[in-house]
Amino acid sequence: MGTGKKNYQAPEWLTAEFLQDVLKEHFKEEQLVVSELLVKSAQVGDQAAGFASEMHRASFNLQRGSSPKSKFSVIVKDHPKGQTGAVAQRSKLFKREILAYKEVLPRVQALLQSIGDQTKIAPICYYTTESPEPFLILEDLQLSGFENFERGRLLNLDYVLPTIEKVAKLHACSAIIAQESPQVLEFFDEAPISRNPDRRDFLTFFPVNIRCVAEEVAHWKGYEEITEKMFKLAENVLQNALAMFEATGKEFRVFNLTDLWINNLMFHVNNETKEPDDVVTLDYQLSYVGSPAIDLNYFLYGSLNENVRKVHFKYIVREYQRVLQQTLEKLNYQGHIPSLKEIHIELINTSLMGVIGATCLTPLIFREGAGFENLEDLNSRTESGDQFRRENVENPKYRAFLQRTIKEFELSGFLDF
């Protein structure tokens, strides 16, 4: 049975019997029964969902052995249909994420546990398959009290610090994997912006969104020089990004989410203090092995309140480097651990990721109301796509963010190519 958003239809194969078999295998329990299944869309606009996925929440009664029945649910991340599905298939988005959950993240968790660290990086993965079409069955983090950040707002320091700590531990463990089992990470050597022709449709996302920002900035008095640089960046962003990825991440390479932003995080808030005490990362469809500054720039410029970043940027980066070094030392890492100064140099060398985050992702965070129906709204110069982007950049909240942030980019030389 399926219910949820308008015209929603649950996958025919998503049955109680199938989920029962999946969970029997995962929990290694034969005496396990799934009953009273209800499937809903887990997608509300663009919130709590991957842009290139169809998300379902399957809720049911679960009985394990002689224990009484209890309510349980899982998230099913399914391959999309239509044009979005074709783009996802050519770009191998699901293959990348499945490999992350099957090969990389279990090794990360095992490494952390080996040093007595119970940090949880990502949801539990109950099941994956690549045929006939790929999908994943994941832990429903809402059962454990995790929730998305408040819609329409950027992160304050209380939410940034646990995220940075989690990312530092992920990066540290992946550096160990890269040293001891490099074959595990080979598939992730290809950057999200690459020369691979199969990624061409996906890559249009960047120039069309930056151009829309440039068109908005063109109306602002005193921003004439910045406007010229933004239009030039829109024309050359893919070439500039290729050069950036090819020139960085040579000496210290880590497993990046690459798509590290508000919508791919879920937080647990302490009932007493009302402050976040844990965070879990979602969505590994763009994951990539390279400079740790790829994740840092994208997150720090795309998801942080600009005042928080202005005041606390160096402190946040220091905390990242401290946790990274501490975790690597506990794991007896034999390679070079980047110093705080070296991390800052990498941040400058990969600053384009910050510009991309602030111009392509932040407008979506401030968006109110309905999201988009398919990837074409984000990627193409169609009438509906252009209208969607104009609404985003004309939002007064985003305009205020952009006026301050783009000045920061210009003064830092991040728009000079």
Side-chain angles (χ1 to χ4, degrees), residues 309-378:
R309 187 180 63 248
K310 182 177 181 180
V311 174
H312 298 292
F313 182 86
K314 290 181 179 178
Y315 171 67
I316 293 167
V317 176
R318 190 192 73 180
E319 282 301 289
Y320 168 83
Q321 196 277 338
R322 180 187 66 81
V323 176
L324 178 78
Q325 180 169 339
Q326 182 181 74
T327 307
L328 285 168
E329 288 174 349
K330 287 181 179 179
L331 291 167
N332 297 313
Y333 179 64
Q334 298 302 306
H336 172 70
I337 300 176
S339 66
L340 180 59
K341 181 180 179 180
E342 287 169 332
I343 294 291
H344 276 288
I345 291 171
E346 279 292 285
L347 284 165
I348 293 171
N349 291 338
T350 59
S351 59
L352 178 57
M353 288 300 293
V355 178
I356 288 173
T359 55
C360 299
L361 270 296
T362 311
L364 297 171
I365 297 171
F366 286 119
R367 183 175 178 85
E368 299 174 0
F372 44 86
E373 289 298 319
N374 56 58
L375 209 59
E376 188 175 5
D377 284 339
L378 289 178

Side-chain angles (χ1 to χ4, degrees), residues 56 128 153 155 186 258 266 303 344 348 380:
H56 316 279
T128 67
R153 290 182 57 223
L155 298 174
E186 283 180 359
T258 314
M266 292 186 75
S303 294
H344 276 288
I348 293 171
S380 304

